[in-house]
Amino acid sequence: MITFVGLGLWDIEDISIKGYNAVKEADEVFIEFYTSRISSSLDEIEKFFGRNVRVLERSDLEENSFKIIEAGKERDVVILTPGDPMVATTHSSIKLEAERRGVKTRIIHGASIISAVCGLTGLHNYRFGKSATVSWHTSRTPADVIKSNLKIDAHTLLFLDLHPSPMRVNDAIEKLIVIDDGLRKVYGVGIARAGSESAVVRCDRLERLKDIDFGEPLHILIILAKTLHFMEYECLREFASAPEELKRLVV
């Protein structure tokens, strides 16, 4: 069997009791830091569980994923994933292929940034449109996704590239403005270290948001829709130090 275990948002203590027990009972334990990361080091993770944990590289998750699937035929295998396992399409592909080959799988979910951003900002979950990733390799895709979402009056959740180093909100905004200078006037929300005691949430126009020091990663960026529900506005004022001028978006 292959069990996908979500580690949650910030550190190893975010894992569920069910997930912890699955790790303790497994024959082999793997972890991947390709799709996301937590603040705990590998040494801290191994000490927490009291066992060896092997780090999976990108190739292990993609072209060589059959090796993990083969291991799951004979042994109980756990794959640890920051956040919630099935948010990443890579893990969905492994699960699908495993089931097709007769290997049973199960999922033990963890807290995801996708839902955490709603709690941190007060934005309504149903107001979000398609998400995208801002990568170090410049691409028009995130700007195009933002524009498509603005047309349907939806918020945009932007994941920030982790490789070769975690991108910061400031870097992401600079890239977006280079792609489309008109984006500097739209409103966004930058979030740093979600799930930690030192989380930072700030809202402003992108041209001002890019100059804010959010501190250490991990960071994520939200581009606001053309309009806001009045409760979204009130929450952003309270939770994200949003400027009063944002009220003009309230309908």
Side-chain angles (χ1 to χ4, degrees), residues 179-195:
I179 295 169
D180 187 337
D181 189 67
L183 292 175
R184 68 171 60 246
K185 296 296 183 181
V186 302
Y187 289 95
V189 186
I191 301 172
R193 299 174 300 284

Side-chain angles (χ1 to χ4, degrees), residues 129-200:
K130 183 179 179 180
S131 58
T133 298
V134 182
S135 63
W136 288 112
H137 174 71
T138 302
S139 166
R140 283 204 56 86
T141 299
D144 291 341
V145 169
I146 292 168
K147 287 186 173 182
S148 294
N149 285 337
L150 287 173
K151 287 180 180 178
I152 60 172
D153 197 19
H155 306 311
T156 305
L157 182 63
L158 295 174
F159 302 104
L160 307 189
D161 204 352
L162 295 176
H163 309 283
S165 61
M167 183 181 287
R168 297 170 185 253
V169 165
N170 320 75
D171 301 314
I173 294 174
E174 289 285 0
K175 283 194 165 291
L176 290 172
I177 291 175
V178 167
I179 295 169
D180 187 337
D181 189 67
L183 292 175
R184 68 171 60 246
K185 296 296 183 181
V186 302
Y187 289 95
V189 186
I191 301 172
R193 299 174 300 284
S196 76
E197 295 297 320
S198 63
V200 173

Side-chain angles (χ1 to χ4, degrees), residues 72-112:
K73 287 183 177 180
E74 306 293 335
R75 301 182 294 280
D76 285 331
V77 174
V78 162
I79 300 177
L80 296 170
T81 303
D84 185 85
M86 292 301 132
V87 171
T89 55
T90 299
H91 306 135
S92 299
S93 297
I94 296 173
K95 175 177 168 59
L96 177 62
E97 187 60 28
E99 293 285 352
R100 284 175 171 172
R101 295 192 184 195
V103 179
K104 291 184 178 180
T105 65
R106 66 171 174 159
I107 305 167
I108 300 176
H109 293 282
S112 170

Side-chain angles (χ1 to χ4, degrees), residues 21-243:
N21 289 336
V23 173
K24 298 293 284 187
E25 296 166 3
D27 297 316
E28 289 185 80
V29 182
F30 301 95
I31 192 168
E32 65 90 5
F33 296 122
Y34 172 67
T35 59
S36 188
R37 300 181 185 181
I38 58 174
S39 63
S40 303
S41 67
L42 181 60
D43 287 343
E44 290 171 332
I45 293 169
E46 290 185 323
K47 183 177 180 180
F48 181 81
F49 291 121
R51 58 180 309 165
N52 293 328
V53 179
R54 177 188 158 191
V55 177
L56 296 173
E57 304 298 335
R58 179 177 182 178
S59 59
D60 297 316
L61 296 168
E62 295 180 351
E63 61 263 30
N64 294 323
S65 62
F66 68 91
K67 295 181 181 179
I68 300 173
I69 296 172
E70 288 299 312
K73 287 183 177 180
E74 306 293 335
R75 301 182 294 280
D76 285 331
V77 174
V78 162
I79 300 177
L80 296 170
T81 303
D84 185 85
M86 292 301 132
V87 171
T89 55
T90 299
H91 306 135
S92 299
S93 297
I94 296 173
K95 175 177 168 59
L96 177 62
E97 187 60 28
E99 293 285 352
R100 284 175 171 172
R101 295 192 184 195
V103 179
K104 291 184 178 180
T105 65
R106 66 171 174 159
I107 305 167
I108 300 176
H109 293 282
S112 170
I113 190 63
I114 291 177
S115 56
V117 295
C118 296
L120 288 166
T121 64
L123 295 174
H124 297 170
N125 177 64
Y126 64 85
R127 294 290 314 279
F128 281 81
K130 183 179 179 180
S131 58
T133 298
V134 182
S135 63
W136 288 112
H137 174 71
T138 302
S139 166
R140 283 204 56 86
T141 299
D144 291 341
V145 169
I146 292 168
K147 287 186 173 182
S148 294
N149 285 337
L150 287 173
K151 287 180 180 178
I152 60 172
D153 197 19
H155 306 311
T156 305
L157 182 63
L158 295 174
F159 302 104
L160 307 189
D161 204 352
L162 295 176
H163 309 283
S165 61
M167 183 181 287
R168 297 170 185 253
V169 165
N170 320 75
D171 301 314
I173 294 174
E174 289 285 0
K175 283 194 165 291
L176 290 172
I177 291 175
V178 167
I179 295 169
D180 187 337
D181 189 67
L183 292 175
R184 68 171 60 246
K185 296 296 183 181
V186 302
Y187 289 95
V189 186
I191 301 172
R193 299 174 300 284
S196 76
E197 295 297 320
S198 63
V200 173
V201 185
R202 292 291 300 274
C203 173
D204 212 327
R205 290 188 187 273
L206 293 193
E207 62 185 358
R208 295 194 289 259
L209 204 63
K210 70 180 178 64
D211 295 324
I212 294 173
D213 182 6
F214 285 87
E216 292 301 308
L218 296 177
H219 292 185
I220 198 159
L221 178 63
I222 300 167
I223 305 301
L224 297 183
K226 291 190 296 184
T227 67
L228 292 174
H229 185 276
F230 78 93
M231 278 299 296
E232 290 183 305
Y233 167 74
E234 294 294 342
C235 287
L236 288 172
R237 286 280 288 166
E238 185 69 27
F239 305 152
S241 302

